[in-house]
Amino acid sequence: MSDAPSREHLLARIAELEAQVAQHQFERACFALLRSHMTEGFCVLEMLDGPEGALSDYRYILNNAACVHHTAHPKHMGQTVRELIPDEADSWVLRFAEVVRTGQPAHFEQRLVATDRHLSIAAYPLGPPCDRRVAVLFTGIPASDQITNTLLASARKRADEATTNNKLLGELVDHSLANVFAADRDLRLIAINRTARETFERLHDFTPKVGDHIPKIMAMQPEIMRSLEPVWPRVLAGEAFAQTISVGTPGTQRHYDMRYNPLIDAEGQIQGGYLFAYDITARIQEQEQLRQTEEALRQSQKMEAIGQLTGGIAHDFNNLLGGILGALELAEKRLNEGRAEACRHMLGIVQQNASRASSLVQRLLAFARQQALMPQAVDVHHLVAGMHDLIHSSIDSNILFVDATLPGQWLVRVDPPQLESALLNLCINARDAMLKGGMLRIGCQNCALDAIQAASLQLEPGDYLKIVVEDTGCGMPENITTRAIEPFFTTKPLGQGTGLGLSMAYGLIRQSGGHLDIDSTPQGGTRINLYLPRNDSAELLGASSAYPTVSPSPSNTNRCIVLVEDQPTLRMVIREVLEERGYRVQTYAEGTRAVQALSQGLRPALIIADIGLPGAVDGYQVANAYREYDDELPVLFITGYGNDLEIDRLNTATRTALLHKPFELTLLTSQVDQLLSAARHGPATV
């Protein structure tokens, strides 16, 4: 039996091979069609071994027409890359050699320097590894186009990000707690957020929408339009600002913090404005509740202080009134018994206690900073020198007094008698702290306080004279020092002091624009520092020269004095004492009658007027009316209230003095004589 294939077997094999050839021809035709019409560049590379080593070169074995289009560089089959582009062959060989070594596709972008083309490349291993072939698909554009495309892509990315950000920002604004509005120059709404729409719906029963004309939709809300009218021109002028407004009736009132800003386009033109309105009603209500709580606390503290103050006043005044009433009762008894000398002694006690009561009132006013002051330029060295005898008589013999003040230091502006009284009280406090003796020293020095130093003393920066009163006594612990300036606070046993010495000094210094502080340690002595502002006035007075006594003169006869005082008893007493000195006194109980007398030809040499007169005309107005005829007419004001003398209510401040009720009659006559002796012209007659 023969092993040769049968005829049928051969024919079948021939038919199979013909079919395969036909399939290959079909696929080749399809490949040729695709290769010629595909827009991507296509080529097949065969890696070669060269002088530089294995896989160090490649040649083109297949390409399509688009290959030249994308690279702008013609190629011939069989040509190697080192022949075609020798200067940049290494960078391309490395890319395709890696595909052969790994058998993995590669995707990369690279510039073809020879033609300045930017290529996007996909490389695939083709066939078995031993063939060392790579199929390459790629596209290419000019490198400048790639830069443009990169910029466009970046711009699109930024635009997408901006759109996303704007959308997020819009959502945030729409859900903000602020009421947000934007309007064009004609006050037509171009934006409104959800919070604002809900607010209008809740408070005004309608919801504004974009396109609404604000004056039209707010026609029924004139209060809101009135608040908008003055601010909109400012917004259109480019101003950004804030204001707080209140809308509604008491009980339903709402408070808003309004933030206005101009709406500016890309060219910098103002196209309208936008508003953020924050509802701060809750905050305002909380602040009001806090204010009421603080006020209640202050009132509580005031009542506590008043209770302490009243107790001290009651104790001291009851002691004084007890002495006065007792002395008057004994005086009446002695008068009935015909014992005139004993009666005179009792009246002296009455006068002494009344004087102490007057001093107590002045100290209270000093603490409250309500006493009327007559500030003058004062040389403290001269003032303290005039107090030597008074200080020596007030302290014990075992205490050494040292006057360390120096001449030529800065003048201060202060009421001299009040400063004398404050210094004397501090000296008495020092005496009481040195029962076994010691040293009392008064000194002063110029101090220029900068902003930090002044702030620590609750003062304005500037020049001050620092007066120091110090002793070597028992000192005070911190808990006592912090309360030392409180009224009637004292560590002395009941009845051994009013407790007003330090508080009076503190009130005077603060009212004079200065500060008082205390530096004290137990058994280490006490140092009181008084800061008074510098005065550059050329005028210079000392306390001892403030009220010189002028002897009566026969020329007083027929000099007319107008006395305006509403208290009948005091008016009668002043009239009698002045008439005893030879003056003619015309009295009035209220200011209107005194001014009418001026129109009837009355021209006095001096006016004595109570500041607080009843009716429509007070003491200032009386003085000014008379000074219309004589601008240097002397005026002596008297007052029972502690307000400062209001110099600005006078036409002129020359030849003006002030007395506090109650006052000694000798002080009254001294002031009258002093003012009249300084007058430029002689007496006027009625």
Side-chain angles (χ1 to χ4, degrees):
M1 197 174 170
S2 176
D3 293 331
S6 65
R7 176 180 171 80
E8 291 79 6
H9 181 74
L10 289 175
L11 290 174
R13 179 62 179 159
I14 290 171
E16 181 181 347
L17 291 175
E18 287 177 346
Q20 290 179 357
V21 171
Q23 180 66 29
H24 286 313
Q25 289 176 341
F26 173 73
E27 291 178 355
R28 184 171 182 176
C30 290
F31 172 73
L33 181 64
L34 289 173
R35 188 180 67 171
S36 62
H37 288 84
M38 65 189 300
T39 58
E40 293 90 349
F42 173 73
C43 63
V44 177
L45 313 175
E46 183 181 20
M47 301 302 299
L48 304 172
D49 296 334
E52 291 80 5
L55 303 178
S56 61
D57 200 354
Y58 62 82
R59 63 184 175 188
Y60 296 95
I61 59 176
L62 184 66
N63 70 347
N64 68 347
C67 183
V68 176
H69 169 73
H70 286 290
T71 61
H73 197 275
K75 301 171 181 62
H76 301 287
M77 294 304 98
Q79 192 175 22
T80 67
V81 69
R82 293 192 180 278
E83 294 171 344
L84 189 63
I85 46 174
D87 293 336
E88 52 181 310
D90 288 337
S91 63
W92 292 99
V93 168
L94 289 174
R95 295 280 195 180
F96 298 124
E98 186 67 17
V99 174
V100 172
R101 289 191 187 97
T102 64
Q104 298 296 322
H107 301 269
F108 59 93
E109 293 184 358
Q110 187 164 318
R111 182 184 174 213
L112 179 60
V113 179
T115 57
D116 194 25
R117 304 284 287 184
H118 187 87
L119 305 181
S120 296
I121 297 172
Y124 303 90
L126 186 63
C130 59
D131 288 348
R132 304 199 293 186
R133 291 176 179 173
V134 179
V136 182
L137 290 167
F138 61 92
T139 59
I141 58 173
S144 58
D145 290 351
Q146 174 61 25
I147 294 174
T148 301
N149 291 342
T150 301
L151 292 175
L152 287 173
S154 177
R156 290 191 190 98
K157 182 179 179 181
R158 289 197 302 270
D160 291 342
E161 291 175 349
T163 301
T164 302
N165 289 339
N166 288 338
K167 182 179 179 181
L168 176 60
L169 181 60
E171 292 178 355
L172 292 175
V173 171
D174 202 42
H175 292 82
S176 170
L177 294 177
N179 297 272
V180 183
F181 307 85
D184 62 17
R185 298 184 65 89
D186 297 325
L187 280 175
R188 193 172 297 280
L189 275 178
I190 56 177
I192 180 171
N193 75 336
R194 176 186 57 83
T195 304
R197 293 193 300 270
E198 292 177 351
T199 298
F200 266 84
E201 180 64 31
R202 183 176 67 256
L203 299 180
H204 307 296
D205 296 326
F206 73 93
T207 304
K209 60 183 181 300
V210 172
D212 284 345
H213 193 223
I214 294 176
K216 182 178 179 180
I217 65 174
M218 299 306 298
M220 302 302 293
Q221 303 293 331
E223 186 177 4
I224 296 178
M225 288 308 301
R226 281 195 299 270
S227 68
L228 186 61
E229 285 175 0
V231 302
W232 195 246
R234 295 170 60 187
V235 174
L236 297 183
E239 183 179 355
F241 57 96
Q243 67 172 186
T244 300
I245 67 169
S246 299
V247 179
T249 58
T252 62
Q253 200 170 52
R254 309 296 299 180
H255 306 276
Y256 292 93
D257 180 16
M258 316 287 280
R259 305 298 177 95
Y260 298 94
N261 291 274
L263 187 62
I264 303 175
D265 62 16
E267 286 73 34
Q269 300 298 314
I270 298 174
Q271 299 300 330
Y274 61 93
L275 162 67
F276 281 70
Y278 298 89
D279 190 336
I280 57 172
T281 304
R283 188 198 315 169
I284 295 294
Q285 292 173 344
E286 290 173 0
Q287 291 174 349
E288 177 60 22
Q289 291 174 354
L290 178 61
R291 187 196 65 79
Q292 292 175 357
T293 302
E294 292 174 344
E295 181 62 25
L297 177 61
R298 281 194 294 269
Q299 290 297 329
S300 175
Q301 292 171 337
K302 285 180 182 179
M303 293 306 296
E304 181 181 356
I306 289 172
Q308 184 179 15
L309 189 65
T310 304
I313 292 174
H315 173 266
D316 288 326
F317 266 100
N318 282 338
N319 284 345
L320 295 171
L321 290 174
I324 290 172
L325 292 173
L328 286 174
E329 185 177 348
L330 283 176
E332 183 181 13
K333 184 177 181 180
R334 298 294 182 263
L335 186 62
N336 291 334
E337 294 172 351
R339 298 166 61 182
E341 286 300 321
C343 181
R344 186 177 295 109
H345 175 66
M346 292 298 105
L347 291 176
I349 293 175
V350 170
Q351 185 178 20
Q352 183 183 31
N353 279 12
S355 177
R356 290 175 61 191
S358 174
S359 177
L360 181 59
V361 170
Q362 292 304 313
R363 292 184 181 187
L364 283 170
L365 291 173
F367 167 75
R369 296 179 240 170
Q370 289 294 317
Q371 85 273 34
L373 300 179
M374 294 291 288
Q376 303 166 12
V378 174
D379 182 337
V380 172
H381 172 68
H382 176 66
L383 181 141
V384 173
M387 294 179 62
H388 283 186
D389 292 342
L390 183 60
I391 293 173
H392 282 298
S393 66
S394 301
I395 62 177
D396 298 334
S397 58
N398 59 353
I399 297 176
L400 173 64
F401 170 63
V402 177
D403 181 359
T405 61
L406 300 173
Q409 292 188 311
W410 290 337
L411 305 180
V412 294
R413 189 164 187 83
V414 68
D415 187 309
Q418 294 288 351
L419 180 58
E420 271 192 354
S421 179
L423 291 176
L424 181 60
N425 275 287
L426 295 179
C427 291
I428 293 173
N429 284 352
R431 176 202 67 189
D432 295 340
M434 296 185 290
L435 298 178
K436 297 182 180 180
M439 183 181 70
L440 167 65
R441 179 181 180 274
I442 300 179
C444 59
Q445 65 185 68
N446 296 336
C447 292
L449 301 181
D450 59 27
I452 297 177
Q453 294 170 324
S456 68
L457 296 170
Q458 303 173 25
L459 295 172
E460 294 294 325
D463 293 338
Y464 294 82
L465 183 71
K466 179 181 179 182
I467 306 172
V468 180
V469 181
E470 55 186 331
D471 63 63
T472 57
C474 60
M476 297 179 286
E478 183 178 358
N479 64 318
I480 300 298
T481 303
T482 56
R483 299 190 59 193
I485 62 172
E486 294 180 10
F488 295 106
F489 176 80
T490 179
T491 57
K492 301 172 185 176
L494 188 64
Q496 293 189 18
T498 63
L500 278 173
L502 265 173
S503 62
M504 182 275 290
Y506 176 80
L508 169 68
I509 298 304
R510 291 299 290 173
Q511 191 174 355
S512 301
H515 182 72
L516 179 151
D517 66 27
I518 305 172
D519 182 10
S520 184
T521 55
Q523 308 307 318
T526 299
R527 178 187 178 99
I528 310 295
N529 303 308
L530 312 175
Y531 295 85
L532 286 170
R534 178 183 181 181
N535 183 277
D536 296 321
S537 171
E539 173 194 13
L540 178 60
L541 290 176
S544 60
S545 63
Y547 304 115
T549 301
V550 179
S551 301
S553 169
S555 63
N556 290 347
T557 304
N558 212 32
R559 276 196 169 194
C560 179
I561 296 177
V562 167
L563 170 62
V564 192
E565 167 60 53
D566 62 301
Q567 212 284 324
T569 303
L570 183 58
R571 187 169 66 246
M572 178 196 69
V573 170
I574 294 175
R575 177 174 183 170
E576 287 193 9
V577 74
L578 291 177
E579 287 180 343
E580 284 179 357
R581 296 180 65 81
Y583 297 110
R584 294 173 56 86
V585 183
Q586 189 73 34
T587 63
Y588 300 95
E590 45 91 26
T592 304
R593 296 288 303 277
V595 174
Q596 288 174 351
L598 174 66
S599 65
Q600 296 168 2
L602 179 63
R603 298 293 182 269
L606 173 72
I607 297 289
I608 302 177
D610 189 349
I611 292 177
L613 293 171
V617 179
D618 62 17
Y620 296 114
Q621 293 167 306
V622 171
N624 287 334
Y626 277 84
R627 278 182 169 169
E628 287 292 327
Y629 292 89
D630 182 358
D631 60 358
E632 294 195 12
L633 178 69
V635 176
L636 174 59
F637 288 112
I638 54 179
T639 181
Y641 183 62
N643 283 338
D644 291 341
L645 180 63
E646 299 179 50
I647 299 297
D648 59 340
R649 292 195 59 192
L650 298 173
N651 290 341
T652 175
T654 61
R655 309 194 192 288
T656 301
L658 176 70
L659 283 180
H660 301 283
K661 299 176 184 178
F663 46 79
E664 296 179 3
L665 294 177
T666 54
L667 182 57
L668 169 72
T669 55
S670 175
Q671 281 282 24
V672 169
D673 292 340
Q674 180 191 3
L675 289 169
L676 286 173
S677 68
R680 291 186 307 176
H681 44 73
T685 58
V686 181

